Amino acid sequence: MLYFAYGSNLHHFQMKRRCKDSIFLKKINLKDFKLTFRSKYRAADIEPKKNSIVPGGLFEISKSDEKKLDVYEDFPILYKKYYFYYYGKKVMTYTMVKKSSFKFPTERYLNIVKRGYKDCKLDKKFLTKALQF
């Protein structure tokens, strides 16, 4: 299956540790969404916003990887699954169930996200914009 990663799951080493079968395919943009950070965990989330984009990584994952991600993402309590189509192929990602206000991420978490942006060769201007609240 195809999985759209953002936040800490962009970090290739961390993603491989969580999902041993995962394969990074390419960077892609999720249109009409924006990146934010929220909850008591100060974790990354995406929410609908017209004319915005969230850069991320497209990964191929196995069914067992999906189950591991479900546990990591505390599905369905903290995150729910969101599906969209990319060139006719169904892609899964996660969005937070409860939409709390913006919370600046911890330095450790932010460094993991920054490394993920580097791993996937993403434009950091979108991350910078998400942190300006």
Side-chain angles (χ1 to χ4, degrees):
M1 76 177 297
L2 296 176
Y3 168 65
F4 175 77
Y6 63 92
S8 64
N9 287 342
L10 292 168
H11 190 292
H12 287 190
F13 178 78
Q14 187 159 289
M15 185 63 179
K16 201 61 157 168
R17 201 171 66 214
R18 291 177 186 157
C19 302
K20 66 177 178 58
D21 299 328
S22 66
I23 299 167
F24 174 73
L25 300 174
K26 63 193 282 186
K27 64 181 181 176
I28 67 170
N29 293 324
L30 178 57
K31 295 178 181 172
D32 294 325
F33 277 83
K34 75 171 190 166
L35 177 68
T36 189
F37 296 86
R38 59 171 44 111
S39 88
K40 67 180 180 181
Y41 305 105
R42 302 191 245 173
D45 186 26
I46 56 174
E47 63 185 25
K49 183 171 185 201
K50 287 282 185 205
N51 302 317
S52 292
I53 64 168
V54 175
L58 185 65
F59 287 82
E60 186 175 320
I61 63 171
S62 67
K63 202 67 177 159
S64 65
D65 285 341
E66 181 185 12
K67 288 178 182 172
K68 289 175 187 165
L69 276 177
D70 285 351
V71 171
Y72 176 77
E73 301 293 354
D74 197 12
F75 169 80
I77 308 301
L78 184 61
Y79 284 90
K80 63 183 177 180
K81 292 181 183 182
Y82 174 80
Y83 296 92
F84 64 94
Y85 286 88
Y86 179 75
Y87 289 101
K89 298 196 178 202
K90 191 175 183 180
V91 180
M92 185 273 290
T93 193
Y94 295 93
T95 65
M96 280 192 183
V97 174
K98 294 181 181 173
K99 302 295 187 190
S100 63
S101 59
F102 173 81
K103 302 242 174 132
F104 202 87
T106 64
E107 185 176 347
R108 180 184 171 281
Y109 182 80
L110 184 55
N111 285 337
I112 291 169
V113 174
K114 285 179 180 177
R115 178 55 202 246
Y117 267 68
K118 185 176 179 182
D119 288 350
C120 295
K121 297 177 175 48
L122 301 175
D123 188 339
K124 286 189 182 162
K125 76 178 180 184
F126 294 97
L127 178 58
T128 302
K129 186 177 179 181
L131 295 168
Q132 295 176 344
F133 279 90

